[in-house]
Amino acid sequence: MLPRWDKKYCIGHKIIDSQHKKLFELAQNVESAFYRYVKREELKQLLIELFYYIKEHCEDEEQYMREINYPHYEQHCKIHQQTISNMISMIKDIKSTNDLKEKFYKAIKHKFIEHIIYEDMEIAKWKSRLDFIENRILDDDLTFEECLAYYTCECEDFIHKVPLSIHYKIQSGATQFKCKKCKAILKFSDQDKE
């Protein structure tokens, strides 16, 4: 059974959150079609509606990720492209209505819903961290360069404080930094340190 929409899946963007809610509703429609007799035309209409909605949603979500400089933007876009490509292939390879229902249900469950629950929640974490940093700048009269991101290595109980300009370079994949002591590549810690 598919999970139901819950506010805990919100990423903090009104349009994206309403689209996610709608995708959960469409997924429920697909799930109900899986367990009952459905005419091929009805299933086809449901598939077309979902396909165009997902495509529109991906475009809106990608725009939002650009606006907040999401560091995993490229990877996330590839997942979107692959999802849409897989849907097109799935439509082309239909052998029967039951075959379509089964493939469609699996795609909804494993690609769309799990994508929202896991991948899109990473966008929410990133935005939350940005909001925290922006509030810290405003509240503490700090400059952008004085704000830090926290990284770990293999040294026990050691936190590397990295300026945001370096953090953004690391997150974009443009560079990597190693600990001078243990020589391990630094890993971003999304835990706020006081």
Side-chain angles (χ1 to χ4, degrees):
M1 201 157 173
L2 294 175
R4 303 282 184 215
W5 169 254
D6 191 298
K7 288 184 178 181
K8 69 183 179 183
Y9 303 132
C10 287
I11 67 167
H13 187 277
K14 189 176 180 178
I15 294 170
I16 304 297
D17 290 336
S18 68
Q19 289 174 344
H20 281 163
K21 185 177 181 181
K22 175 75 172 175
L23 285 168
F24 270 80
E25 290 168 5
L26 290 171
Q28 298 304 320
N29 293 343
V30 170
E31 184 176 46
S32 72
F34 185 73
Y35 294 111
R36 63 181 170 81
Y37 172 77
V38 180
K39 292 181 181 176
R40 186 179 183 94
E41 201 52 43
E42 181 185 347
L43 197 56
K44 184 179 173 184
Q45 195 57 41
L46 188 58
L47 182 61
I48 289 168
E49 179 184 4
L50 183 65
F51 177 77
Y52 284 110
Y53 199 81
I54 287 172
K55 200 169 175 203
E56 177 187 334
H57 167 68
C58 289
E59 290 168 3
D60 290 344
E61 191 171 87
E62 288 168 12
Q63 173 63 34
Y64 177 60
M65 289 188 291
R66 283 191 301 272
E67 289 171 9
I68 64 168
N69 295 315
Y70 184 58
H72 306 291
Y73 171 79
E74 295 294 328
Q75 291 169 277
H76 204 99
C77 289
K78 285 179 185 175
I79 293 169
H80 285 171
Q81 291 166 357
Q82 185 176 8
T83 299
I84 291 168
S85 177
N86 288 347
M87 275 191 85
I88 291 168
S89 296
M90 181 177 64
I91 294 167
K92 288 180 181 177
D93 294 339
I94 297 169
K95 292 178 179 73
S96 68
T97 303
N98 286 338
D99 181 47
L100 175 60
K101 282 169 50 173
E102 188 174 330
K103 286 180 181 177
F104 202 29
Y105 180 72
K106 286 179 183 176
I108 288 289
K109 183 175 182 181
H110 297 292
K111 298 289 185 209
F112 310 127
I113 300 301
E114 289 180 5
H115 174 81
I116 292 169
I117 292 171
Y118 300 111
E119 300 292 332
D120 290 351
M121 295 316 297
E122 292 301 314
I123 299 170
K125 287 180 188 175
W126 171 256
K127 179 64 170 127
S128 175
R129 186 141 179 89
L130 282 181
D131 289 345
F132 169 77
I133 291 166
E134 286 175 7
N135 289 336
R136 214 175 132 209
I137 290 172
L138 294 173
D139 293 346
D140 300 339
D141 291 328
L142 298 173
T143 66
F144 182 76
E145 273 308 308
E146 289 173 312
C147 287
L148 303 171
Y150 300 97
Y151 281 77
T152 59
C153 61
E154 292 179 11
C155 296
E156 193 170 323
D157 296 324
F158 188 77
I159 302 294
H160 296 270
K161 297 175 183 175
V162 176
L164 285 186
S165 59
I166 303 295
H167 166 70
Y168 288 136
K169 288 178 184 175
I170 295 171
Q171 291 299 306
S172 71
T175 188
Q176 290 183 334
F177 285 85
K178 293 182 179 181
C179 172
K180 289 180 182 177
K181 186 176 179 182
C182 71
K183 307 294 185 218
I185 294 173
L186 299 184
K187 296 177 188 159
F188 177 61
S189 172
D190 61 2
Q191 305 296 316
D192 293 327
K193 310 292 184 224
E194 292 295 326

